[in-house]
Amino acid sequence: MEENAARPPSVQLIVNAPEQMRELGRRLAKLLRAGDLVMLSGELGAGKTTLTRGLGEGLGVRGAVTSPTFVIARVHPSLGDGPPLVHVDAYRLGGGLDEMEDLDLDVSLPESVIVVEWGEGKVEELTDERLQVRIHRAVGDTTDEVREVTVTGLGQRWAAADLSVLAA
């Protein structure tokens, strides 16, 4: 696939509290549709699951969005006519795509929104089109709630996306 000469759309945001991270997830949900892959990266405790909880609220899915660390993947069906949310935590998967293939995410992708925590180096082969969300927090300072969030759209699906709406 040929890369665009232009830089992929990207936005940087400062998030000051967990509720703001959830709200960012709710705003992000408005941009998503079935077939979208969202990769979340950041240190432990950065807010990946909190963001996904907001995504679930924004998508209107059933069930409390909690970290799927021990079940690896959890499906949250839509309560309306939107896509289900497939929430994956790849932290415990060491083998890359082979282990990810066992989850059959490629089967779920066309009709779902798939959010993968700790997916870098593991899920890129699912699709060239994905949203990369990097959450950075000050390491070691557990009292600081400030997060720097960078959202980058990769591939044709996101080429013309206006990610600035996330800064609302």
Side-chain angles (χ1 to χ4, degrees):
M1 186 172 168
E2 188 176 298
E3 285 294 319
N4 285 356
R7 293 184 52 184
S10 185
V11 65
Q12 280 193 305
L13 311 159
I14 299 297
V15 174
N16 294 305
E19 181 49 43
Q20 288 182 1
M21 189 67 79
R22 280 177 78 162
E23 177 57 32
L24 175 58
R26 289 189 286 267
R27 287 195 306 267
L28 184 57
K30 294 175 184 172
L31 298 177
L32 298 175
R33 63 183 185 217
D36 285 342
L37 173 66
V38 180
M39 285 178 46
L40 303 179
S41 61
E43 299 88 358
L44 285 169
K48 297 179 295 296
T49 300
T50 301
L51 178 81
T52 306
R53 192 169 293 128
L55 263 174
E57 292 167 5
L59 290 172
V61 298
R62 186 177 74 218
V65 174
T66 58
S67 178
T69 300
F70 296 103
V71 295
I72 310 298
R74 185 174 281 126
V75 177
H76 297 274
S78 175
L79 291 171
D81 58 1
L85 172 65
V86 178
H87 185 197
V88 179
D89 186 331
Y91 185 72
R92 297 190 183 285
L93 300 180
L97 195 62
D98 288 343
E99 286 184 73
M100 292 302 291
E101 282 179 348
D102 291 342
L103 298 176
D104 288 332
L105 294 180
D106 53 339
V107 174
S108 302
L109 187 57
E111 65 270 354
S112 306
V113 169
I114 298 182
V115 176
V116 182
E117 297 185 30
W118 303 99
E120 287 183 323
K122 299 175 183 173
V123 297
E124 289 89 341
E125 291 180 37
L126 285 175
T127 178
D128 290 333
E129 300 182 334
R130 60 189 175 276
L131 208 54
Q132 174 68 52
V133 180
R134 288 189 168 89
I135 305 170
H136 177 74
R137 70 177 179 100
V139 180
D141 184 16
T142 56
T143 62
D144 187 1
E145 295 290 342
V146 176
R147 306 291 192 263
E148 183 179 295
V149 181
T150 304
V151 181
T152 305
L154 302 172
Q156 194 60 39
R157 157 76 173 99
W158 298 103
D162 180 11
L163 298 179
S164 68
V165 298
L166 298 175

